[in-house]
Amino acid sequence: MNKEFHFLDDGGEMGKLMREKDWSLTPLGAPEGWPQSLRTTVNIILNSPFPMFLFWGDTLKGFYNDAYRPILGVDGKHPKILGLNGAEAWAEIWKDIYPMLSVVTKKGESIWRENLMIPIYRNGRMEDVYWTFSYSPVKDDDGNVSGVLVIVTDTTEAVLAERRLRESERRFRDIANLSPMWIWITDADINVEYANNELLNFIGLSHYSEFEGQVWKSIVHPDDIELVFEGFGKAIEKQERMSLEYRVKNATTNEYEWYKIVAVPKFENGDLKGFLGTGMNIEQQKSFEETLKNEVNHRTKELANSNLKLEAMNKELQSFAYISSHDLQEPLRKIQMFAEVLMDKEYDKLSTSGKEKFVKIQSAANRMQSLINDLLSYSRTDTEKRVFEVIDLKELVADIKNDLGEELKKKHGKITLLKSCELEVVPFQFRQLIYNLLSNSIKYSRADVPPVITIKTEVIKKAKSIDPILSNTKEYVQITITDNGIGFEDQFSEKIFEVFQRLHSKQEYVGTGIGLAIVKKIVQNHAGIISATGELYKGSVFTIVLPKKQ
């Protein structure tokens, strides 16, 4: 290469294009004939890491470097504008840039523009682009302006980002000012940089710029001021989230109201820059808490008094149980004993009316004996010590069938257990439960229809679907006892489990009306449920669901 061409050495892609271009076909002529000022300037821009463009000569022909090349995009002006007249190269914006170029070429003055939007054709379309640039004169050896050096930066992304940020801040402030909550921003020293209208109106300020100095001291309740300083101090020290509840003076009413303040730290490059906070009025909540506290205290005192009364009643109940099991039963046994003696030895001497009366006396005494025994059983169901053991239902049913053998034989009845299982129960209570149910099925059988009683068992794993009080985390056993007896109307399905509730007169069926109440209480003691369904003169079904293991 001719030594005259050394100023085009290097320069990357643009240096290569300039070296390969046949400049002899242009008005500039071959590079060896270029003026020294042009050579020097071209050498400078080719080796500069900053985007540069050179307008040269009367027609402002264009030169640019590799750093400027990305500005032109793809499918645009590159590379045809290299060495092209300015008016032709930048036809679409020439009316915008030529007046600025003229200031430099005619007056020799430099100009500077920041974030100026000038469209450019690139990437196959016109694009709105923001530029920060300077136009500087390039003078020849005689001091005349021969060209304009452009140092430029495409600031479109920065401008749009700033615009988006401003729009985001505007939306944030609009939303914040519509919020019924306090919203505020501070710097790292808790100086307020922003406060929304709700907060400013509450404390009586017109603009957040007034929120400075000792404002906090004048609006926070004196008893809470130390709490506030300690809370903010700890949040700054540990650079962590803060939550406080304290009272703040309402500028309108001059009364203090409770607020809950939550603040989260904001960081920039790992450094604490301040806090973003909210405040919610909790005056009603605090008032409710105070009312609730007073109510709880009042109810606690009432409960304590009730407990004392309950203890006294329990003592009375224990006394009643003792009387029932000893003092009441002793004279009753004597009545029964003397009635039996009279029936054995004096029965024949009685008139027909007297005989009937003695039979009624004996029957009434027997009923009273049953009633006392059932009442004692019912009262002991909750108080007796519960020791759970695993039992086999088959063995228990066999034992009860043996006890009910005479009744079954008399009525030609049958009890069938279709499938046995093991479960954890209080043995003597559970025996009483099954005994009462089977005994009732025999007792309430239809005349001249042999009682047929069927017991089925099933393991249940999703028991909550049966009743919400049961758990899906336990296995349950469902025991179903079905009979063909007199049944009952479904409207009585709950009533039959209540104490002293009878669906039939004592003349029809013997009983005290406590048996099924005892059954229900035993089921509850085992954390289970019991239900009954019936159809009059067709039979009844009792369903028990108990945990397989307690």
Side-chain angles (χ1 to χ4, degrees):
M1 179 183 293
N2 191 303
K3 65 179 181 178
E4 301 294 336
F5 284 72
H6 287 322
F7 69 91
L8 294 178
D9 287 351
D10 304 320
E13 177 192 5
M14 296 312 301
K16 182 172 181 287
L17 288 175
M18 289 185 193
R19 291 193 297 272
E20 293 175 351
K21 186 175 178 65
D22 189 354
W23 293 101
S24 63
L25 301 177
T26 70
L28 280 175
E32 60 264 27
W34 291 0
Q36 187 58 46
S37 53
L38 174 58
R39 295 184 183 192
T40 301
T41 307
V42 168
N43 182 257
I44 290 171
I45 68 172
L46 285 177
N47 289 282
S48 174
F50 295 99
M52 291 185 178
F53 192 96
L54 174 64
F55 289 99
W56 185 261
D58 295 336
T59 58
L60 298 175
K61 298 184 183 297
F63 298 84
Y64 52 98
N65 62 1
D66 278 3
Y68 186 88
R69 166 71 187 86
I71 289 175
L72 297 174
V74 296
D75 191 17
K77 298 178 179 296
H78 176 77
K80 61 184 177 182
I81 64 169
L82 179 61
L84 198 63
N85 295 340
E88 186 179 352
W90 303 97
E92 71 276 16
I93 59 171
W94 191 245
K95 62 181 177 54
D96 297 316
I97 65 174
Y98 181 68
M100 293 184 287
L101 291 168
S102 296
V103 171
V104 182
T105 57
K106 294 177 180 179
K107 297 182 179 181
E109 298 176 1
S110 296
I111 63 172
W112 164 268
R113 297 290 185 272
E114 185 175 15
N115 297 330
L116 181 65
M117 200 279 283
I118 300 177
I120 181 176
Y121 182 82
R122 66 182 182 186
N123 303 321
R125 64 184 183 278
M126 289 296 295
E127 292 185 9
D128 290 339
V129 184
Y130 290 85
W131 311 94
T132 293
F133 59 89
S134 66
Y135 284 0
S136 304
V138 178
K139 297 181 179 180
D140 60 19
D141 295 340
D142 297 327
N144 299 316
V145 176
S146 299
V148 178
L149 179 63
V150 181
I151 301 177
V152 63
T153 302
D154 180 347
T155 58
T156 304
E157 284 300 318
V159 170
L160 295 180
E162 183 181 357
R163 185 176 294 173
R164 288 192 295 267
L165 179 60
R166 285 200 303 269
E167 179 62 20
S168 176
E169 289 179 350
R170 184 192 66 76
R171 287 198 299 268
F172 165 75
R173 291 172 190 262
D174 288 345
I175 294 171
N177 284 328
L178 291 172
S179 172
M181 296 177 60
W182 292 355
I183 299 177
W184 43 272
I185 301 172
T186 75
D187 62 17
D189 296 320
I190 317 299
N191 297 310
V192 176
E193 296 179 333
Y194 170 77
N196 71 337
N197 288 344
E198 184 71 17
L199 172 53
L200 296 174
N201 292 337
F202 188 87
I203 63 178
L205 298 180
S206 58
H207 193 267
Y208 59 82
S209 60
E210 301 173 38
F211 211 134
E212 58 185 12
Q214 300 300 310
V215 170
W216 277 116
K217 274 194 173 182
S218 64
I219 63 175
V220 175
H221 194 286
D223 293 345
D224 299 336
I225 196 70
E226 288 301 321
L227 172 71
V228 173
F229 281 123
E230 181 181 342
F232 276 101
K234 184 179 179 181
I236 294 172
E237 179 186 354
K238 295 191 174 182
Q239 300 187 6
E240 63 183 12
R241 182 180 182 275
M242 175 196 71
S243 178
L244 294 174
E245 293 181 4
Y246 54 87
R247 290 159 288 182
V248 185
K249 185 186 289 185
N250 187 325
T252 303
T253 64
N254 213 34
E255 298 288 335
Y256 287 99
E257 297 180 21
W258 280 97
Y259 270 80
K260 181 174 183 177
I261 306 300
V262 177
V264 293
K266 54 190 180 97
F267 296 94
E268 187 176 307
N269 298 324
D271 297 325
L272 179 68
K273 292 300 180 181
F275 289 87
L276 173 63
T278 61
M280 177 184 293
N281 191 305
I282 57 171
E283 180 65 25
Q284 288 186 338
Q285 179 182 331
K286 282 290 186 179
S287 298
F288 175 75
E289 287 178 358
E290 188 64 27
T291 303
L292 183 61
K293 181 180 177 182
N294 293 334
E295 184 68 19
V296 168
N297 289 336
H298 176 67
R299 295 298 181 189
T300 301
K301 290 179 182 178
E302 286 187 341
L303 183 60
N305 293 332
S306 297
N307 284 339
L308 291 175
K309 292 178 182 178
L310 186 60
E311 287 179 10
M313 291 174 65
N314 282 337
K315 289 180 180 178
E316 291 180 6
L317 184 61
Q318 290 173 3
S319 299
F320 167 75
Y322 180 82
I323 291 170
S324 297
S325 60
H326 296 85
D327 298 355
L328 280 178
Q329 293 202 61
E330 183 57 30
L332 181 60
R333 280 193 292 269
K334 287 182 179 179
I335 291 172
Q336 290 173 313
M337 181 184 69
F338 287 127
E340 287 177 5
V341 171
L342 287 172
M343 290 289 284
D344 288 342
K345 296 183 178 181
E346 308 293 337
Y347 186 76
D348 292 337
K349 298 177 182 179
L350 297 174
S351 65
T352 302
S353 175
K355 289 177 181 179
E356 290 177 356
K357 288 180 175 60
F358 258 97
V359 169
K360 289 182 179 180
I361 289 171
Q362 198 170 34
S363 176
N366 290 336
R367 284 203 310 274
M368 189 172 183
Q369 180 72 55
S370 296
L371 180 60
I372 291 172
N373 289 336
D374 283 349
L375 280 172
L376 285 172
S377 295
Y378 185 78
S379 66
R380 288 169 179 165
T381 304
D382 277 335
T383 57
E384 289 173 326
K385 186 177 179 182
R386 301 173 195 169
V387 178
F388 290 91
E389 296 177 14
V390 176
I391 62 127
D392 190 323
L393 186 61
K394 179 176 64 177
E395 295 178 3
L396 178 65
V397 172
D399 183 40
I400 294 173
K401 282 171 68 176
N402 186 55
D403 285 356
L404 295 172
E406 287 300 319
E407 288 90 335
L408 286 170
K409 184 177 180 181
K410 182 178 179 181
K411 292 196 174 187
H412 305 289
K414 182 180 180 182
I415 297 175
T416 304
L417 174 64
L418 297 182
K419 183 181 179 182
S420 183
C421 68
E422 291 186 346
L423 66 164
E424 195 173 25
V425 294
V426 179
F428 71 90
Q429 284 193 5
F430 191 69
R431 186 186 191 284
Q432 187 176 15
L433 184 158
I434 300 297
Y435 182 92
N436 283 4
L437 291 176
L438 296 179
S439 175
N440 276 359
S441 291
I442 297 170
K443 182 192 302 181
Y444 296 110
S445 60
R446 285 178 286 165
D448 301 323
V449 177
V452 176
I453 306 163
T454 304
I455 307 170
K456 293 195 298 184
T457 63
E458 180 185 358
V459 176
I460 306 294
K461 293 188 177 181
K462 298 291 183 181
K464 193 174 280 291
S465 61
I466 298 175
D467 194 291
I469 70 168
L470 304 179
S471 170
N472 281 339
T473 61
K474 285 185 176 182
E475 274 192 345
Y476 287 79
V477 174
Q478 179 173 286
I479 303 171
T480 307
I481 300 176
T482 306
D483 65 46
N484 63 339
I486 61 173
F488 57 88
E489 295 179 7
D490 258 354
Q491 60 181 312
F492 300 115
S493 60
E494 294 291 335
K495 186 178 180 181
I496 60 175
F497 292 108
E498 297 176 10
V499 178
F500 299 128
Q501 294 297 328
R502 299 171 53 93
L503 303 186
H504 312 280
S505 68
K506 60 180 178 287
Q507 284 77 23
E508 294 178 277
Y509 297 95
V510 178
T512 61
I514 299 177
L516 288 180
I518 294 173
V519 165
K520 184 173 183 178
K521 186 161 281 195
I522 292 172
V523 170
Q524 291 172 340
N525 288 348
H526 287 73
I529 59 170
I530 183 170
S531 61
T533 58
E535 191 173 349
L536 203 58
Y537 306 123
K538 290 190 177 180
S540 57
V541 179
F542 287 84
T543 304
I544 307 159
V545 181
L546 303 174
K548 190 172 184 181
K549 292 185 178 180
Q550 295 292 326

